[in-house]
Amino acid sequence: KQEVTQIPAALSVPEGENLVLNCSFTDSAIYNLQWFRQDPGKGLTSLLLIQSSQREQTSGRLNASLDKSSGRSTLYIAASQPGDSATYLCAVDTDKLIFGTGTRLQVFP
Amino acid sequence: GAVVSQHPSWVICKSGTSVKIECRSLDFQATTMFWYRQFPKQSLMLMATSNEGSKATYEQGVEKDKFLINHASLTLSTLTVTSAHPEDSSFYICSARGLPSINTGELFFGEGSRLTVL
């Protein structure tokens, strides 16, 4: 059974810091991995999708890497801003999307 | 493109009543739809997978007689919470996969529906 874990569970940092959020999964037989952002009480916003054959994807200040063999992905956020405060979820696709436990990020001015 | 809409966005009902939540793919045909449930401060838990025209496949621990899922067309799936109780109060989110993501496998998500059972 696929299990997806995210570390840390919560993170509070001052504005401007570079951040790394971690995601690990137990079964490497995945089609792709997605990172999402969720604001309190809201739905999901897709950030990045990495195919199983890819190593990384970039969008603006966000960079996500994937090491399928070790079952790990990282989301790197450069120059964090208060507007980045949200819960970040990774999810692995094995015909169905299994979500990680989430990282609650707070960036304070 | 690739918009998924849920309705209602929030609903309050009395214990014992049934509530229906709709999930629509507005601009594409969704061959597969997924229903998730999210309790406060927790992650999304997959409830069931539905393919158009066939019975839904439920995850372990999800009561299929309580959470009725219908995927009668390529643009609409419904989740009916039957005889709802306070412990069913949650945020329900649907997602869909179809032609726009046939190469990437990307899932498109609805905005979610918050159910509160009194």
Side-chain angles (χ1 to χ4, degrees):
Chain A
K1 180 187 172 187
Q2 178 75 267
E3 292 184 6
V4 185
T5 307
Q6 291 183 244
I7 294 173
L11 188 60
S12 183
V13 299
E15 182 177 10
E17 280 205 5
N18 300 322
L19 309 171
V20 176
L21 308 183
N22 297 292
C23 172
S24 61
F25 47 96
T26 54
D27 187 347
S28 62
I30 65 171
Y31 294 120
N32 60 58
L33 183 145
Q34 289 185 246
W35 281 94
F36 296 88
R37 167 189 173 133
Q38 186 176 33
D39 293 289
K42 303 291 186 182
L44 302 178
T45 300
S46 179
L47 299 174
L48 290 164
L49 182 151
I50 312 176
Q51 298 293 341
S52 62
S53 58
Q54 297 174 324
R55 300 283 294 185
E56 66 177 344
Q57 282 288 336
T58 298
S59 175
R61 294 183 293 109
L62 305 179
N63 175 277
S65 67
L66 174 64
D67 184 343
K68 208 173 70 159
S69 61
S70 66
R72 280 188 276 190
S73 175
T74 60
L75 177 67
Y76 178 81
I77 303 176
S80 59
Q81 302 170 357
D84 295 330
S85 299
T87 295
Y88 290 80
L89 296 161
C90 70
V92 297
D93 192 342
T94 58
D95 260 353
K96 51 190 178 184
L97 209 59
I98 305 299
F99 280 84
T101 46
T103 295
R104 288 191 308 279
L105 172 65
Q106 183 180 13
V107 181
F108 53 89
Chain B
V3 177
V4 176
S5 177
Q6 273 184 249
H7 178 81
S9 56
W10 59 270
V11 57
I12 301 173
C13 70
K14 291 182 179 180
S15 185
T17 59
S18 294
V19 175
K20 181 185 284 188
I21 300 171
E22 294 186 346
C23 177
R24 292 182 185 272
S25 56
L26 298 185
D27 50 3
F28 69 100
Q29 293 183 325
T31 50
T32 306
M33 285 186 169
F34 304 87
W35 285 95
Y36 292 84
R37 178 169 54 183
Q38 185 179 34
F39 292 111
K41 297 189 177 180
Q42 294 188 24
S43 190
L44 278 73
M45 299 300 296
L46 180 64
M47 299 175 67
T49 303
S50 73
N51 294 298
E52 185 265 340
S54 60
K55 289 184 179 180
T57 302
Y58 290 80
E59 294 298 304
Q60 192 172 12
V62 178
E63 300 174 59
K64 61 181 179 181
D65 294 330
K66 180 168 185 61
F67 299 99
L68 302 179
I69 292 172
N70 184 285
H71 191 169
S73 78
L74 284 170
T75 59
L76 174 65
S77 176
T78 60
L79 166 67
T80 302
V81 183
T82 62
S83 186
H85 291 284
E87 57 265 31
D88 298 323
S89 299
S90 187
F91 193 52
Y92 293 88
I93 305 178
C94 73
S95 66
R97 202 198 307 262
L99 195 58
S101 56
I102 193 169
N103 292 321
T104 64
E106 185 176 2
L107 278 170
F108 304 102
F109 283 80
E111 312 95 326
S113 299
R114 184 164 302 285
L115 170 63
T116 301
V117 184
L118 302 177

